[in-house]
Amino acid sequence: MTRSAKHIPPRATCPHCWHVFPLEETLWVSSHPALNGDARLGAECQRRFLPTRFDVSGNALDSHGSVCSELACPKCHLVIPRAMFEMRSLFYSILGSPGSGKSHLIATTTWTLRKTMGRNFHLSFSDADPDSNRVLNQSEERLFFNENPNELTTLPKTEKEGELYDPVRFGDQTFWYPRPFVFSVQPLPSHPQGENVAEMSRAICLYDNAGEHFLPGGRSSISPATQHLTVSSGLIFLFDPTQHVRFREACKGISNDPQITTAGLSFRQDQVMLEAANRIRTQASLSQNEKYKRPIVVAMTKLDAWRGLLDASFERRAAAFGEILQRRKHKDSEAIETVLNHRRIKQVSLDLRELMLRYAPEFVNAAESFAEDVTYVPVSALGHAPTLEAETGRFGVRPGSISPQWAELPLLYLLSLTSGGLIPRPIERQHNSDEQE
Amino acid sequence: MSFEIVYTSSQQGLHAGSRGFCTVAATIGIPRQLMERLESLSGYQHQHPTGSKLNPVNFCCQSVRIQEETFVVLSRVADAGADFSGRSNKIAHHLALSLDEVRLTNCSPTLLLSDPDFWFTKWARSPEWLPANRLPKPVSSGGIPVNAWKTAFGDAGWSAVVARSVENDFEPVFAIVPDGCNVIGMVHEALQHLSTRMQWRVSFSTYFTRSSGGDCHWRFLRDGMAEATAVRNRPVGIVIDVNSRLSGEDQKRSNQPSLNVDSIDESEDVSNEQPEGQEGFDRRPVTRSQMRRREAGARSRQARLAAKNPRERRSEREIPQDRHSPIPKAKKLKTWWIVTGLFVVIAVIAIVVGLIWLK
Ligand SMILES: Nc1nc2c(ncn2[C@@H]2O[C@H](COP(=O)(O)OP(=O)(O)O)[C@@H](O)[C@H]2O)c(=O)[nH]1
Ligand SMILES: [Mg+2]
Ligand SMILES: [Zn+2]
């Protein structure tokens, strides 16, 4: 591994166990079939080793002389995508109660960004490691590439164990680390900073936790599934009005979403917020008086179900909100760059905050007493209500009629605040961006 | 003492505030670490939409160590239809037996896993603490349908191939099986080649996926799922694959009981030459070519093992002895025909020569 370039941080953060280590401690994954079996990962995994010999292109040679290409964490031994060594990493946490719409929103976000990042922001957005993104890709396929667009389909309920976790053995103890979704975002030549590809590129890590992990008491000593909260550059909290008693009541009669009309679910989402705040405070040694400095986006999900609660003035602004992209000339070159219209986002956030104060003031209080910068954004991953299948009791969606609304906005907004100019931010706003080194 | 947990998605869990996927029932006094460990073994991947009868059940037996103590965990993990939030649900029921209890058990784990009255298949009541020492009753051997290997693979002899992996230093077995076959029966048949003591040392999973968690010696994978493709692309251990194509010659031979490794290898070599999509699909499985090498290695390792540890000989003896014959059955048959043929030819020549000489 040659990494003399100055833009590459001298340390890496493992996206599985969040161990921060100097690059020279990076392990390699042997490739000779005889080197089967690793102390942490079991008999079927290739052995990890600290290399002493390399080939001409800088790839390590294992003890049998085979050329290796995969890199692994010195602590947990899990494979780390190469992109995370070649560019700076950014972590974002997505949290919310069970059923608030996390899995649907992540799939819709990544699918939309794949389609639009090039056109809108002159950025490429791709899987850094297709294998670790496998579950997410399956979800995207179900929703957006389905061969039967008119038949009901569902995304499975996210498990607290299993496919999205990797077991790692430390002596007699086995820990289950959540599998990250890793993307690489790189400027295209037409990007105003297209010449600084190496410096500008970012590896972005997201996690799809089961909502149960965020519930009070949901922490498990053998599954440190929510530790990413501490390393994240920003949080996306999914607030689901259809799970809030007073929102549900207000929506009766104006919404025919079965999540509102049937018995439905309700959760104390303020408790979920407080629990997350608590975990971050403990892990990051933040005192009770200190506020969290990184941005929190409260994504108010399932907009299609509660849109009727918004008044005409919101609708007027929401129409304008549709045009959140602003084009302008780059300050140092002739290139035209696209920026997110933060002013509009903030206006809409104020409207939503008022609505929240009316129905869920306890949540506003929980979020704003923890963090300095809270922005409320309306999103709908599906654009319409799911259908309740009478015979199975299952909620399903018809892929053909999915039309997301602003689903990707929370992540775009965080990127524009914390990615160091990948998505240019308007000049008037400066944020204490704190990227992971 | 044994401990149980039942884990599923429910409106209310056993612990205050828990809901969604959580433990809804557990034995009074279960150590917290054991409970968390059992929860982590509850992963389940739906092969079909939730609620479909086609979703396989994962019957599992494996050992876990909690601090100084080892438990053998019997589990039943399966689909459980839609949950209260209208999304896919599963139910995992685990029973952790202490080694003392295992020593007192004198039946196959499969017979305990088949007790229909013990294992929960649904949880529709409030969470509850279960009394200590609830144990499944072994079903009578008749409770497990027979001929599982014969039905799925056309040859009952595969059960012995699986069983032999135990002698071979517990070499992992990956069996790629078709949808809807009786996998618990297949495990049961394979276990019958081993002593009860050895049966409890084998860990198995009747529907192994990336979600399952834990390591197992015998893993049954469903044909068509990503896990099966991964094993086909990068075979480790013994791979028994239902999806093999054999030439006409092999089809004929497949009608004879054929347990010997040589004929298995030959059939694979021939099948490699068979173009895709041609006639000649056979239910008889083909193990990978490394099997022959492994068998050879296993034999020498077995010999070493037996010499070192006379107690281990017992399980070896329980495996049909013809598996150890230096000349494989098909070759024996061939030799018999050649010898008889030669004898007949010589006799005919002798008679003809005799007749000519008499004239
Ligand atoms: N009306 C509406 N329902 C949604 C939307 N997104 C997700 N849902 C429903 O919300 C439920 C929970 O979604 P899921 O993504 O599994 O939630 P998670 O537990 O937070 O991952 C599912 O039944 C979806 O059909 C949306 O945009 N609008
Ligand atoms: Mg989910
Ligand atoms: Zn790590």
Side-chain angles (χ1 to χ4, degrees):
Chain A
M1 239 182 343
T2 48
R3 43 194 55 171
S4 49
K6 68 173 188 331
H7 62 269
I8 295 172
R11 296 159 84 77
T13 306
C14 170
H16 307 275
C17 70
W18 307 287
H19 175 56
V20 182
F21 57 94
L23 295 182
E24 58 275 17
E25 287 179 11
T26 307
L27 299 183
W28 288 70
V29 182
S30 62
S31 64
H32 193 279
L35 296 171
N36 233 353
D38 182 78
R40 295 245 191 284
L41 305 177
E44 277 122 55
C45 282
Q46 289 291 123
R47 191 169 310 158
R48 276 51 173 163
F49 68 103
L50 204 57
T52 49
R53 294 183 301 155
F54 296 87
D55 71 357
V56 281
S57 36
N59 286 318
L61 302 175
D62 63 26
S63 60
H64 283 54
S66 297
V67 181
C68 309
S69 59
E70 285 186 314
L71 307 169
C73 164
K75 183 179 164 202
C76 69
H77 289 199
L78 292 167
V79 171
I80 303 179
R82 267 191 176 232
M84 297 197 68
F85 293 95
E86 288 161 2
M87 38 187 102
R88 286 169 192 259
S89 307
L90 281 173
F91 294 82
Y92 297 113
S93 297
I94 294 158
L95 57 157
S97 56
S100 54
K102 295 178 292 298
S103 300
H104 284 81
L105 190 74
I106 296 174
T108 308
T109 298
T110 51
W111 162 243
T112 312
L113 293 184
R114 280 182 216 277
K115 277 194 314 185
T116 60
M117 283 293 247
R119 190 177 65 221
N120 290 341
F121 297 102
H122 308 280
L123 295 169
S124 72
F125 183 89
S126 54
D127 294 320
D129 176 7
D131 187 51
S132 68
N133 289 6
R134 198 173 72 119
V135 175
L136 180 59
N137 287 335
Q138 280 169 356
S139 303
E140 285 184 34
E141 276 159 31
R142 255 188 220 192
L143 296 179
F144 301 103
F145 289 100
N146 204 307
E147 284 178 12
N148 309 307
N150 297 319
E151 278 173 30
L152 288 181
T153 185
T154 51
L155 297 189
K157 177 169 160 61
T158 314
E159 292 194 299
K160 265 174 87 184
E161 52 289 306
E163 202 179 10
L164 283 168
Y165 303 84
D166 288 300
V168 178
R169 241 174 272 153
F170 293 89
D172 271 354
Q173 262 289 18
T174 302
F175 287 90
W176 297 80
Y177 291 108
R179 197 167 283 175
F181 300 139
V182 187
F183 295 90
S184 55
V185 185
Q186 292 175 288
L188 297 169
S190 52
H191 189 277
Q193 308 251 26
E195 279 157 26
N196 303 330
V197 178
E199 202 170 320
M200 296 301 295
S201 301
R202 295 290 181 275
I204 291 185
C205 276
L206 308 171
Y207 301 85
D208 186 9
N209 282 109
E212 288 85 339
H213 277 303
F214 297 111
L215 297 183
R219 215 172 346 176
S220 150
S221 61
I222 59 167
S223 179
T226 59
Q227 257 179 34
H228 50 81
L229 288 171
T230 333
V231 297
S232 283
S233 299
L235 311 183
I236 300 178
F237 189 101
L238 273 65
F239 178 89
D240 178 1
T242 75
Q243 291 188 355
H244 190 276
V245 182
R246 295 194 52 208
F247 265 103
R248 287 168 59 80
E249 235 169 66
C251 285
K252 292 235 160 90
I254 57 169
S255 170
N256 52 11
D257 190 310
Q259 294 168 96
I260 291 203
T261 53
T262 60
L265 285 174
S266 32
F267 277 99
R268 284 287 303 272
Q269 297 175 73
D270 58 319
Q271 298 289 344
V272 179
M273 180 79 233
L274 289 173
E275 174 70 19
N278 237 335
R279 290 188 201 175
I280 294 173
R281 279 192 198 285
T282 325
Q283 284 160 25
S285 312
L286 213 65
S287 79
Q288 289 298 322
N289 314 326
E290 250 177 303
K291 283 212 170 177
Y292 181 69
K293 300 268 182 326
R294 304 175 190 187
I296 297 187
V297 175
V298 176
M300 295 179 61
T301 57
K302 311 181 188 176
L303 170 66
D304 54 280
W306 51 273
R307 195 169 188 144
L309 293 182
L310 295 163
D311 57 19
S313 71
F314 171 84
E315 284 301 337
R316 265 198 311 281
R317 273 200 282 271
F321 182 59
E323 298 152 27
I324 45 170
L325 302 184
Q326 228 180 344
R327 299 196 189 270
R328 68 167 191 211
K329 233 171 87 214
H330 187 245
K331 60 181 190 309
D332 303 325
S333 70
E334 284 305 292
I336 296 292
E337 63 180 4
T338 313
V339 294
L340 272 187
N341 189 334
H342 283 215
R343 206 167 43 85
R344 285 207 176 129
I345 293 174
K346 278 291 167 191
Q347 269 171 4
V348 169
S349 171
L350 284 176
D351 283 340
L352 292 180
R353 185 174 181 276
E354 233 166 77
L355 190 75
M356 288 290 279
L357 281 175
R358 197 172 331 144
Y359 295 108
E362 76 289 352
F363 183 86
V364 177
N365 184 44
E368 296 181 5
S369 64
F370 168 59
E372 256 175 24
D373 179 0
V374 183
T375 308
Y376 301 85
V377 173
V379 296
S380 175
L382 300 174
H384 66 86
T387 308
L388 182 61
E389 257 184 349
E391 64 275 25
T392 59
R394 201 166 60 119
F395 281 123
V397 282
R398 282 178 226 288
S401 39
I402 296 177
S403 63
Q405 280 167 308
W406 305 313
E408 75 284 23
L409 190 60
L411 185 59
L412 273 184
Y413 183 60
L414 286 184
L415 275 173
S416 83
L417 290 176
T418 60
S419 69
L422 261 186
I423 293 180
R425 61 172 109 145
I427 294 130
E428 78 267 24
R429 195 182 158 107
Q430 289 302 323
H431 200 279
N432 308 339
S433 142
D434 32 13
E435 290 182 34
Q436 296 303 308
E437 290 290 316
Chain B
M1 168 170 185
S2 64
F3 296 100
E4 285 172 85
I5 72 159
V6 181
Y7 183 89
T8 188
S9 171
S10 164
Q11 284 270 27
Q12 200 194 336
L14 203 50
H15 296 298
S18 66
R19 93 194 252 205
F21 283 129
C22 58
T23 294
V24 289
T27 308
I28 300 168
I30 182 172
R32 191 181 56 89
Q33 275 184 314
L34 177 61
M35 186 157 177
E36 284 187 344
R37 188 61 195 279
L38 295 179
E39 287 178 349
S40 76
L41 301 175
S42 306
Y44 183 80
Q45 198 175 324
H46 288 80
Q47 195 187 356
H48 300 279
T50 195
S52 161
K53 293 261 183 308
L54 298 173
N55 278 309
V57 176
N58 185 15
F59 289 107
C60 203
C61 174
Q62 60 196 309
S63 63
V64 304
R65 243 177 103 88
I66 301 293
Q67 287 172 339
E68 292 304 295
E69 198 171 355
T70 303
F71 294 90
V72 175
V73 178
L74 296 181
S75 316
R76 180 191 182 278
V77 189
D79 172 46
D83 76 345
F84 64 100
S85 70
R87 294 179 296 161
S88 52
N89 197 2
K90 63 177 172 192
I91 182 161
H93 184 177
H94 305 282
L95 169 69
L97 298 166
S98 66
L99 290 186
D100 285 340
E101 276 164 317
V102 169
R103 262 176 233 122
L104 291 176
T105 312
N106 55 3
C107 69
S108 311
T110 37
L111 295 180
L112 295 182
L113 281 166
S114 303
D115 177 4
D117 300 324
F118 180 80
W119 301 96
F120 289 105
T121 57
K122 230 194 253 122
W123 189 269
R125 39 193 224 242
S126 311
E128 70 184 52
W129 289 102
L130 301 170
N133 293 326
R134 257 172 38 92
L135 287 173
K137 292 196 182 62
V139 294
S140 64
S141 300
I144 297 185
V146 287
N147 275 336
W149 283 98
K150 180 111 176 72
T151 313
F153 283 78
D155 190 337
W158 284 111
S159 62
V161 175
V162 173
R164 287 199 70 200
S165 67
V166 170
E167 299 181 332
N168 194 1
D169 226 1
F170 285 95
E171 181 166 28
V173 174
F174 295 84
I176 302 175
V177 301
D179 253 11
C181 68
N182 165 25
V183 185
I184 188 78
M186 293 162 92
V187 175
H188 185 69
E189 283 172 37
L191 289 178
Q192 299 321 297
H193 296 285
L194 305 171
S195 65
T196 310
R197 189 178 62 84
M198 284 308 274
Q199 289 183 12
W200 284 89
R201 286 185 56 193
V202 175
S203 59
F204 59 82
S205 160
T206 63
Y207 171 51
F208 188 86
T209 59
R210 270 161 75 137
S211 294
S212 309
D215 282 336
C216 285
H217 302 128
W218 299 351
R219 302 176 190 192
F220 290 79
L221 315 170
R222 289 302 177 281
D223 191 18
M225 291 191 68
E227 287 79 0
T229 314
V231 167
R232 283 184 181 127
N233 291 343
R234 201 169 169 276
V236 203
I238 298 171
V239 179
I240 301 174
D241 188 348
V242 72
N243 188 9
S244 59
R245 283 158 200 277
L246 305 176
S247 68
E249 167 68 10
D250 284 290
Q251 263 195 83
K252 264 180 263 144
R253 229 187 301 148
S254 73
N255 295 329
Q256 317 165 356
S258 54
L259 256 185
N260 58 78
V261 175
D262 280 353
S263 69
I264 291 161
D265 258 353
E266 275 165 34
S267 60
E268 189 194 41
D269 292 343
V270 181
S271 73
N272 284 345
E273 286 159 23
Q274 176 94 351
E276 274 281 307
Q278 260 195 12
E279 290 284 75
F281 180 74
D282 190 280
R283 302 283 279 173
R284 205 182 63 160
V286 175
T287 61
R288 304 280 159 172
S289 56
Q290 87 252 38
M291 202 158 146
R292 178 194 269 160
R293 284 198 311 277
R294 292 186 186 280
E295 288 280 336
R299 251 173 248 142
S300 65
R301 236 178 299 163
Q302 257 165 35
R304 283 202 306 274
L305 205 89
K308 255 198 273 170
N309 181 359
R311 272 187 302 163
E312 295 293 331
R313 271 198 207 131
R314 185 166 155 215
S315 62
E316 188 188 335
R317 254 185 277 122
E318 274 156 12
I319 289 178
Q321 285 304 306
D322 61 336
R323 301 284 295 118
H324 300 283
S325 161
I327 307 173
K329 223 184 225 173
K331 271 198 189 150
K332 269 195 216 159
L333 221 67
K334 241 189 235 168
T335 322
W336 188 85
W337 276 111
I338 292 169
V339 171
T340 320
L342 271 177
F343 182 78
V344 170
V345 169
I346 291 169
V348 169
I349 291 172
I351 291 168
V352 171
V353 170
L355 281 175
I356 292 171
W357 188 74
L358 273 179
K359 278 186 189 165

